[in-house]
Structures are given as C-alpha cells and as structure tokens.
C-alpha cells in the first residue's frame, strides 16, 4: 500500500476514487478473462491452425517412416555394433 501512496504523491490529480475505479476495472477484466478462458483458448487454437495447419495423417505417417529409416541407417552405419547386430539391422531396414 505504501507504493500506492508514494505514486499518489507524484501523480498530479490522483485521487482515491480514481484508484478504486482502476482496481474495479482491472478486477472486471480479470474476471472476464477467467470466465471466457475456454472460448479464448479455442479462438487462439483456431488462429494458430489458420496460420499453420496440421499435417494430414498420410504426411505424418510418411514423416515418421522417414525418421525411422534414417535412425536405422544411422544405427547400421555405426561402428559399435557386432556383425550379427549389423545383419539384423540390415534385415530390419530392408523390410521398410
């Protein structure tokens, strides 16, 4: 409260009525935000999807398969594995 008093000393024309009016307006704004939070969240999601649409199911599957095959190729090319591990990895990559 002392901060409010120190600000009131330096701001000309500041009154307690104006401070209460500001606090009431802020409380009403916060109340509306809390009340309409699901609606605001939905609007934000809709705006995000309008700017950056989701990939289709086929595109996501294709991207996942590319990532998996790159991972398998990396494992197959690593020098740490034994020959039997390398043969198993080659068999896995040949499948798809």
């Amino acid at each position: 409260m002392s901060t409010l008093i120190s600000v009131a000393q330096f701001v000309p024309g500041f009154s307690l009525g104006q401070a209460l009016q500001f606090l009431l307006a802020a409380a009403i704004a916060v109340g509306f935000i809390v009340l309409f939070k699901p609606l605001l969240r939905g609007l934000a999601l809709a705006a995000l999807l309008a700017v950056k649409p989701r990939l289709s199911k086929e595109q996501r599957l294709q991207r996942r398969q590319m990532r998996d095959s790159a991972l398998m190729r990396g494992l197959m090319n690593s020098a740490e594995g034994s020959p039997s591990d390398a043969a198993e990895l080659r068999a896995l990559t040949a499948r798809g």
Side-chain angles (χ1 to χ4, degrees), residues 18-41:
Q18 289 175 338
L20 291 176
Q21 187 179 11
F22 173 75
L23 289 175
L24 180 64
I28 289 173
V30 169
F32 274 118
I33 289 172
V34 169
L35 182 65
F36 293 112
K37 187 177 180 180
L39 176 65
L40 294 173
R41 186 179 292 157

Side-chain angles (χ1 to χ4, degrees), residues 9 28 41 46 51 55 66 71 75 82 84:
Q9 291 174 352
I28 289 173
R41 186 179 292 157
V51 173
L55 297 175
M66 292 287 286
L71 176 67
L75 287 173
S82 67
S84 64

Side-chain angles (χ1 to χ4, degrees), residues 10-91:
F10 293 109
V11 177
F14 184 79
S15 69
L16 185 61
Q18 289 175 338
L20 291 176
Q21 187 179 11
F22 173 75
L23 289 175
L24 180 64
I28 289 173
V30 169
F32 274 118
I33 289 172
V34 169
L35 182 65
F36 293 112
K37 187 177 180 180
L39 176 65
L40 294 173
R41 186 179 292 157
L43 290 173
L45 181 61
L48 179 69
L49 288 175
V51 173
K52 183 183 172 192
R54 287 186 66 185
L55 297 175
S56 69
K57 196 172 188 178
E58 293 83 19
Q59 289 172 329
R60 285 181 283 170
L61 177 65
Q62 207 171 34
R63 192 171 279 188
R64 189 178 317 120
Q65 287 174 345
M66 292 287 286
R67 187 180 58 232
D68 291 346
S69 66
L71 176 67
M72 286 294 188
R73 267 187 264 118
L75 287 173
M76 190 173 71
N77 292 335
S78 71
E80 296 177 17
S82 67
S84 64
D85 290 341
E88 188 175 342
L89 286 171
R90 279 191 196 96

